[in-house]
Amino acid sequence: MNETAIVLVRSIIAFGTLLIFTRFLGKQQVSQITFFDYILGITIGSMAANLSTDIATDAWPNWVGLLSWTVMVYIFQKVTVKSRQASVYIDGEPVIVIMNGEIMDEVMKKLRFRLSDLQEQLREKGVFDINEVEYAVVEKDGQLSILKKAEYLPLTPKDINVRPEYKGIATELIYDGEIVKSNLKQLNKDEAWLKEQIAAKGFNEFAEVFLAVIAPNGSLFIDGYDDKMENPIDITDFKGLK
């Protein structure tokens, strides 16, 4: 077997293995991973890459190493869920960096969290005046959570005794030209009814519809593949995308 075929086969094995292992470890949003999780992810990814392209060594030891790291990560996940102390030691814990409107400079020094970092993350939260902040907390993943002072908090319907209309979650009826039959059945609707709805919007076939969703209040959103806009807005000046 030549080198190209070997790399191809090993790449398929590495891809499949990595897919299975990541599903085994569970889901976690990228914004929620800690620095330790990030390093573990890079290490496991590097081992999968070696399994794929390092044809100078046997595939089996690389695969065993990848399996071993995955099992250790899984054990760490279980330990941190069961043990509060282990979770704090491994993942860290949230730290207050602004308390009662005062910047906790000593705490920031211990965290090696620069004032410029604090200002940047405040701007990302839409806060350009630090006087508006009552509390700010650096979370385990390094992100900043803030609580504004009462006078700067947005007005809510509850504040003015208004009961807003329930929104809920919209249900997909057509996705990329294909009917989502399970959702249609769940709503006690049939394809004939759906056909009438898209016809009212000028569509003859389901395949012409890119997306169709229905809100809990019964309102429909239907979007087709052919966007008929005479002067679409273009916000990029990069010619390669036009």
Side-chain angles (χ1 to χ4, degrees):
M1 185 180 295
N2 59 38
E3 292 185 357
T4 302
I6 293 174
V7 171
L8 178 60
V9 172
R10 291 176 63 151
S11 295
I12 294 172
I13 295 173
F15 181 85
T17 301
L18 198 57
L19 177 62
I20 294 170
F21 286 177
T22 51
R23 292 298 297 269
F24 171 72
L25 291 175
K27 297 180 179 179
Q28 189 174 24
Q29 294 182 6
V30 174
S31 61
Q32 294 176 333
I33 64 174
T34 64
F35 182 70
F36 184 59
D37 296 326
Y38 177 68
I39 296 299
L40 289 176
I42 291 177
T43 303
I44 291 176
S46 298
M47 297 179 75
N50 286 335
L51 171 61
S52 175
T53 60
D54 188 9
I55 60 175
T57 60
D58 293 334
W60 179 249
N62 287 302
W63 192 89
V64 172
L66 183 58
L67 175 63
S68 301
W69 274 80
T70 301
V71 170
M72 285 189 289
V73 172
Y74 179 77
I75 292 172
F76 267 108
Q77 287 179 341
K78 291 296 183 182
V79 169
T80 54
V81 168
K82 296 291 184 180
S83 171
R84 166 67 178 169
Q85 291 181 336
S87 176
V88 171
Y89 181 78
I90 295 172
D91 295 333
E93 58 183 343
V95 179
I96 298 174
V97 291
I98 296 180
M99 183 182 296
N100 297 325
E102 298 288 335
I103 299 175
M104 312 296 289
D105 53 291
E106 291 299 323
V107 173
M108 289 183 59
K109 288 179 181 177
K110 291 180 180 178
L111 291 176
R112 295 188 292 278
F113 196 73
R114 298 171 299 184
L115 185 58
S116 59
D117 297 329
L118 176 63
Q119 293 172 318
E120 178 182 348
Q121 292 208 34
L122 285 174
R123 290 193 296 270
E124 290 176 350
K125 299 292 183 181
V127 177
F128 288 80
D129 184 357
I130 201 168
N131 286 314
E132 299 179 7
V133 181
E134 185 75 24
Y135 281 89
V137 179
V138 177
E139 304 293 353
K140 293 187 295 184
D141 61 358
Q143 297 297 312
L144 192 70
S145 300
I146 65 170
L147 174 65
K148 290 185 177 182
K149 294 177 181 177
E151 59 267 32
Y152 296 106
L153 292 173
L155 193 65
T156 66
K158 184 178 180 180
D159 294 329
I160 55 177
N161 295 320
V162 173
R163 186 178 181 85
E165 180 184 355
Y166 174 74
K167 295 295 184 181
I169 300 176
T171 303
E172 295 174 350
L173 301 179
I174 300 177
Y175 181 86
D176 199 11
E178 297 289 337
I179 301 174
V180 186
K181 294 183 179 180
S182 58
N183 289 348
L184 202 60
K185 183 179 180 180
Q186 179 180 312
L187 295 171
N188 295 318
K189 305 290 185 182
D190 55 23
E191 292 187 20
W193 172 85
L194 186 57
K195 185 83 169 180
E196 292 178 3
Q197 303 305 313
I198 67 169
K201 294 291 185 178
F203 299 101
N204 298 317
E205 302 292 338
F206 296 125
E208 297 176 6
V209 180
F210 179 62
L211 178 67
V213 296
I214 184 170
N217 62 6
S219 63
L220 279 164
F221 172 82
I222 301 175
D223 183 71
Y225 283 98
D226 187 13
D227 296 321
K228 299 176 181 178
M229 293 187 183
E230 295 182 359
N231 297 301
I233 297 174
D234 186 1
I235 62 172
T236 178
D237 58 0
F238 179 54
K239 305 301 182 183
L241 296 179
K242 296 182 179 180

